[in-house]
Amino acid sequence: MDQNKIPQATAKRLPLYYRFLNNLNQQGKSRVSSKELSEAVKVDSATIRRDFSYFGALGKKGYGYNVEYLLEFFRKTLDQDEVTEVALIGAGNLGTAFLKYNFMKNNNIVIKMAFDASAEKVGEDIGGVPIYHIDEMEERMDGIQVAILTIPAGETDGVTERLVDYGVTGILNFTPARITVPEHIRVHHIDLAVELQALVYFLKHYPLENE
Amino acid sequence: MDQNKIPQATAKRLPLYYRFLNNLNQQGKSRVSSKELSEAVKVDSATIRRDFSYFGALGKKGYGYNVEYLLEFFRKTLDQDEVTEVALIGAGNLGTAFLKYNFMKNNNIVIKMAFDASAEKVGEDIGGVPIYHIDEMEERMDGIQVAILTIPAGETDGVTERLVDYGVTGILNFTPARITVPEHIRVHHIDLAVELQALVYFLKHYPLENE
DNA sequence: AGAAAGTCGTTACCCATTTCACAATTTAAT
DNA sequence: ATTAAATTGTGAAATGGGTAACGACTTTCT
Ligand SMILES: NC(=O)c1ccc[n+]([C@@H]2O[C@H](COP(=O)([O-])OP(=O)(O)OC[C@H]3O[C@@H](n4cnc5c(N)ncnc54)[C@H](O)[C@@H]3O)[C@@H](O)[C@H]2O)c1
Ligand SMILES: NC(=O)c1ccc[n+]([C@@H]2O[C@H](COP(=O)([O-])OP(=O)(O)OC[C@H]3O[C@@H](n4cnc5c(N)ncnc54)[C@H](O)[C@@H]3O)[C@@H](O)[C@H]2O)c1
């Protein structure tokens, strides 16, 4: 769709910039420098300038960036106009927290439906999201391309296979299981236990450094 | 404490290796090659060998690695002998999910207590963890060094300041707010909304590539 | 015993990303 | 009008991490 030239590291920071620019705009600020932005989002100012420069010359030398212009630009670039619908698989502890959270607000993403294997959950509505039985997944999915996985680790392979067969293009996997998918499907892992343990490890072994 | 030579990227993979070695050990396997490990944890085998080599020659050429030996080694390296106690601030949707999760099992980390500002939550026990009022934080913390932040974004700066004054050394921050702390304190950010939006962005703009 | 296969540890290279540093430009001040 | 200050965009260097490839060694096979 867009230019394939934008580095992935940059792409990951865009939502962050976008959210902060929104704040600034709401505060009525009309102008911002890379230095100010840097302090707020904790990213080096040179990195910010470089990131922006991939999209062309968005700023003005000696002045900085116009907040409204930048915001408008990113809104288009991040496709904030169209809502992305995702499905959540596994309405347990973690899944429930996500269902109650409003990703719509800043991110224009909405969890459209959830699936679970437990009879207790099926039929319920959590945070306004209907929960269907996992057996009905394929017939209910209605073209949804992205799935959030919050099921027990042991269930992961089976469910993943079904998601792949169904035709999702992206999976956000919160289980500790490492999944195998065809190359054209993108998987992001978020392993909360590993994150926590890694933090503890760093504290013990790198007492005074920064990340 | 240990060698400062270990790259951060390696350090982040250690908990993953550890968990998988545990599985292998429980399955009764006594020997494993970097190739097998690679397939299981989805990390290139050369990277695994490189990672291990930072700690010395742990394997044997032509044979692979001895599971029990490696496990014992990592147990020591990752300080899996001592339990790390952490505190959770904000027993809301996300916080509750964490409280109900057993980080102890594989990670020897335990959420010892939680704090919340809401009268409804205080006094409750979630997942066996007592919830105290945030006003009592300093007197209850009892030397805990690590905090998990799951409070509303707007509360983040105030609470962070108190945590810093109290003397924590590490914070795992799930709020969208970017916090400022003195250099000697380590903060890891996990911004779930950004992760989700980044996944969606990649799907739309890099349809066929790998991360 | 000797040959073949397997596997590590490491060297050398590659790539992506970050950061420095500065010319170019604009704004603000006197 | 001139000067000083601010700030961008980017070339070049530094950092950091990943991986192909191979010599060395071990195990297994015949
Ligand atoms: N809760 C946490 O804080 C936390 C932390 C780290 C990792 N995780 C991981 O996240 C995942 C979910 O954790 P959780 O605490 O929410 O677990 P949970 O047991 O509370 O929830 C799992 C849910 O999945 C449902 N389920 C089971 N099999 C299913 C299937 N085949 N199809 C659809 N639904 C199915 C269950 O009915 C349940 O509602 C687990 O893999 C866990 O290891 C959770
Ligand atoms: N739930 C999600 O899926 C999700 C996703 C992305 C980001 N987040 C972020 O995680 C954070 C928590 O989200 P949540 O959904 O659990 O929110 P929540 O409102 O359910 O929970 C927040 C909890 O913090 C408590 N609290 C408020 N002020 C406090 C204070 N000063 N000290 C201690 N406790 C206080 C509240 O009483 C409440 O129990 C938010 O910053 C949110 O943006 C959550």
Side-chain angles (χ1 to χ4, degrees), chain A residues 13-55:
Chain A
R13 283 186 292 266
L14 298 182
L16 189 58
Y17 297 147
Y18 180 75
R19 192 167 57 204
F20 189 73
L21 288 167
N22 240 326
N23 291 349
L24 279 185
N25 195 42
Q26 274 158 27
Q27 286 161 33
K29 281 207 77 169
S30 68
R31 167 182 171 176
V32 68
S33 71
S34 61
K35 187 150 161 282
E36 279 174 279
L37 260 173
S38 169
E39 277 151 26
V41 299
K42 312 279 191 261
V43 171
D44 186 273
S45 69
T47 301
I48 293 178
R49 291 198 300 282
R50 169 84 64 198
D51 282 346
F52 288 0
S53 79
Y54 290 115
F55 299 96

Side-chain angles (χ1 to χ4, degrees), chain A residues 2-8 10 54, chain B residues 206:
Chain A
D2 236 325
Q3 318 84 327
N4 275 30
K5 323 157 212 139
I6 286 125
Q8 307 221 350
T10 296
Y54 290 115
Chain B
Y206 302 71

Side-chain angles (χ1 to χ4, degrees), chain A residues 1-2 4 8 11-12 77-79 82 84-87 109 143-148 167-172 181-188, chain B residues 194-211:
Chain A
M1 205 159 291
D2 236 325
N4 275 30
Q8 307 221 350
K12 282 196 183 176
T77 304
L78 289 170
D79 303 303
E82 34 180 308
T84 302
E85 297 180 343
V86 309
I109 292 170
I144 288 178
Q145 298 277 298
V146 179
I148 301 176
V168 299
T169 54
I171 297 175
L172 191 57
V181 295
E183 260 199 13
H184 62 279
I185 297 178
R186 181 173 284 271
V187 177
H188 284 204
Chain B
V194 163
E195 299 286 346
L196 186 52
Q197 192 165 2
L199 174 64
V200 168
Y201 179 86
F202 283 136
L203 291 176
K204 292 196 182 165
H205 296 264
Y206 302 71
L208 289 174
E209 327 215 12
N210 351 1
E211 189 183 355

